[in-house]
Amino acid sequence: VAQAANGADIVTLVAEHQPDVILMDIQMPQVDGIAALQLLAAAGATVPVIILTTFDDHERVLQAMQAGARGYLLKDVALEVLVDAIYQVKNGGSLLQPAITDKILHSFLRQPNNTTAAAAPVDALSAKELEILRLLAAGFSNREIAQSVFKSEGTVKNQVSAILLKLGVRD
């Protein structure tokens, strides 16, 4: 419904057009995507934001999610995935593109100060568990994961429990 020339225009455009979802880049003139997310939050805007960018470094991803982004996708994402992401975020979900999830997970697990990482390396997960973890991190429900990997929902629940146990996390 609208296109901002820069990040500084975002609050005005949201108030004027009341979009259901915002697709925003990280790199923008005047005010970057992180600052634009902060401006939206300060203005009380509750419109879900998907970051759509070429930047896949984990620091920017984490900054965007902490600033309120509900999704983070790379611009080379397939059209079908982008459309699904828009619906998912619009309906209260959140997501990270699996390639980004991998980078964050590997970065987190390589940190020397991270005792959880030392106790539970990602290498302890099987290929199937990594696939399920990627889907889980992308915001899929157990039922959706089960349909995606052609398993029963109960089997997926058991596998999720095993993944959480191996990684030493509760949820």
Side-chain angles (χ1 to χ4, degrees):
V1 297
Q3 183 174 345
N6 60 65
D9 295 340
I10 192 73
V11 174
T12 304
L13 287 171
V14 167
E16 182 180 337
H17 296 282
Q18 301 178 352
D20 293 324
V21 174
I22 297 170
L23 297 178
M24 184 184 325
D25 200 346
I26 287 281
Q27 189 77 20
M28 294 186 291
Q30 297 179 18
V31 174
D32 71 7
I34 305 295
L37 284 163
Q38 293 165 341
L39 288 172
L40 286 169
T46 59
V47 179
V49 176
I50 298 173
I51 298 295
L52 186 62
T53 189
T54 58
F55 297 99
D56 65 349
D57 63 275
H58 70 280
E59 289 298 323
R60 287 187 189 215
V61 174
L62 293 175
Q63 287 174 345
M65 299 308 274
Q66 287 171 340
R70 297 273 298 280
Y72 199 105
L73 299 170
L74 299 179
K75 287 185 177 179
D76 64 355
V77 69
L79 179 60
E80 300 82 30
V81 173
L82 178 58
V83 170
D84 287 344
I86 291 169
Y87 282 113
Q88 184 174 344
V89 168
K90 165 69 174 97
N91 292 320
S94 59
L95 67 122
L96 291 175
Q97 192 167 342
I100 295 169
T101 306
D102 285 346
K103 284 188 174 200
I104 291 174
L105 186 59
H106 288 301
S107 172
F108 175 75
L109 294 175
R110 276 187 261 130
Q111 292 176 1
N113 297 351
N114 189 334
T115 56
T116 303
V122 73
D123 296 336
L125 299 178
S126 70
K128 187 53 94 176
E129 288 170 331
L130 278 173
E131 178 183 6
I132 290 172
L133 180 59
R134 285 185 189 103
L135 293 168
L136 195 61
F140 288 83
S141 69
N142 287 341
R143 176 172 286 147
E144 292 167 327
I145 293 170
Q147 291 170 346
S148 177
V149 298
F150 306 105
K151 301 235 180 204
S152 73
E153 190 173 350
T155 299
V156 169
K157 286 180 183 179
N158 290 338
Q159 289 177 312
V160 168
S161 294
I163 291 167
L164 297 177
L165 182 64
K166 284 182 179 181
L167 294 178
V169 296
R170 292 184 340 196
D171 56 22

